[in-house]
Amino acid sequence: MAAALRERIARGVLKAGDRIPTQAELSQEFGVERGRVRQALQALRAEGLLSHSTKGVPPSVAQPGQDGERPGGTPEPRPTLVALGPRLVRAFAATEVRIDALCLTAESLIPAVSEAVIGVHSGSLRPESVDVRILLPSRSIDLAFPVAASGEPVEAAAVHRRWLEMRDSQVRVLSRTLTGLRQSHGTKVSVAFRTVPFTPPVKLYVLNGSEALFAYYLVRRTDENGEDVPEMIDTWGPRAQLFPYDVTHGPRDEVFVAQSARWFEGLWQTISEELKLDG
């Protein structure tokens, strides 16, 4: 339920200030008890997505500057699923767009990039060029996560195969989404994927050389993967809190953005290899 509401907020189905359905309505929609509804809403409040409510009144989607910003206008950390899309839209407002990303998978990038591409199709965004570079883990390494909790070879192979299929399918989706701008709008598009020989413990996005978004992957044990997927040690990237750094926010942020860009460039130019898909 929390994931579904997060997605509605990220897609703009539920906008800032909109009231969330009542607990009774959510209980009926998702077929769960009121206690489960309260737990989901509490989680969304803790992430800063919902305002605090008074008794008997449903909470609303948090307004910018209410739960989403500190005094003075500096953005607070927000979940990746919520924060990344609007920042990519802002990045695509530039004439020349440059996105560099290091991540475990491209799960969070797909809806965020799609949000920006929708802006291009609608005419609200008109970049002349889009240059995207993404670093992902190599298929040939033993990942630190996701891994089978049991350590059994058969289960370990199944988990690795599942991750690899997800990684490669996401790469294909991103490639199609971005390169489609060539045919539809004549945009100069460059999309490149390379691999690194380690499991990223963090995710990093550098946008137009002026903003860096950083998040820790929080490792957890999960056994809610379905009948065909074993219990795993895994992360949930869309929930990871993105810490934003912007060169306009002072010397500290300016140095962080510059060092992030430099770190990414070093990985790209030295230890990374071309990503090759099956088939």
Side-chain angles (χ1 to χ4, degrees):
M1 183 192 309
L5 292 175
R6 277 190 208 96
E7 183 179 3
R8 293 175 192 178
I9 293 171
R11 292 170 51 201
V13 176
L14 290 171
K15 300 178 177 60
D18 286 353
R19 290 286 184 189
I20 295 295
T22 65
Q23 291 188 17
E25 291 170 336
L26 290 171
S27 177
Q28 182 176 5
E29 177 183 354
F30 291 95
V32 297
E33 298 178 354
R34 292 283 189 94
R36 293 287 188 179
V37 175
R38 287 191 290 271
Q39 289 176 2
L41 296 180
Q42 184 177 3
L44 295 176
R45 287 193 195 96
E47 295 172 9
L49 298 181
L50 299 182
S51 65
H52 293 284
S53 60
T54 57
K55 187 174 181 179
V57 179
S60 58
V61 178
Q63 296 278 358
Q66 178 181 340
D67 292 77
E69 291 184 353
R70 292 191 292 265
T74 304
E76 287 279 7
R78 304 292 296 277
T80 302
L81 185 63
V82 175
L84 187 57
R87 284 182 164 80
L88 280 186
V89 169
R90 187 169 66 185
F92 268 66
T95 302
E96 298 180 350
V97 180
R98 176 67 174 268
I99 309 295
D100 291 335
L102 167 71
C103 37
L104 183 64
T105 71
E107 180 181 8
S108 299
L109 268 172
I110 290 174
V113 166
S114 297
E115 190 172 340
V117 169
I118 288 172
V120 177
H121 291 320
S122 70
S124 62
L125 302 172
R126 298 180 178 86
E128 295 179 1
S129 67
V130 176
D131 186 357
V132 177
R133 302 187 299 175
I134 301 175
L135 287 172
L136 296 163
S138 169
R139 63 180 298 162
S140 62
I141 65 172
D142 292 329
L143 293 172
F145 45 81
V147 293
S150 67
E152 292 292 332
V154 173
E155 292 189 351
V159 170
H160 187 83
R161 183 169 57 252
R162 175 178 178 267
W163 165 81
L164 183 60
E165 290 172 352
M166 289 175 56
R167 187 202 71 171
D168 287 359
S169 67
Q170 291 163 3
V171 164
R172 292 186 177 96
V173 169
L174 270 177
S175 294
R176 287 196 300 266
T177 301
L178 288 165
T179 56
L181 294 177
R182 291 192 196 124
Q183 288 76 29
S184 60
H185 294 81
T187 309
K188 297 178 182 178
V189 178
S190 173
V191 187
F193 298 89
R194 294 182 69 84
T195 65
V196 289
F198 62 88
T199 307
V202 298
K203 60 169 65 179
L204 173 70
Y205 309 97
V206 182
L207 313 182
N208 293 342
S210 62
E211 186 174 17
L213 307 171
F214 175 91
Y216 294 101
Y217 280 114
L218 301 180
V219 183
R220 63 193 180 109
R221 181 185 292 265
T222 173
D223 57 1
E224 299 176 358
N225 307 303
E227 296 180 0
D228 298 329
V229 182
E231 183 179 9
M232 296 189 298
I233 306 299
D234 198 4
T235 66
W236 193 359
R239 184 180 285 184
Q241 299 282 311
L242 274 182
F243 291 80
Y245 296 84
D246 192 304
V247 295
T248 64
H249 291 161
R252 180 176 177 275
D253 280 31
E254 186 176 359
V255 171
F256 186 90
V257 172
Q259 287 294 305
S260 296
R262 187 175 180 181
W263 183 58
F264 181 94
E265 192 66 32
L267 295 176
W268 187 270
Q269 297 294 344
T270 58
I271 64 173
S272 70
E273 297 181 348
E274 181 183 357
L275 186 150
K276 297 181 180 179
L277 299 173
D278 289 333

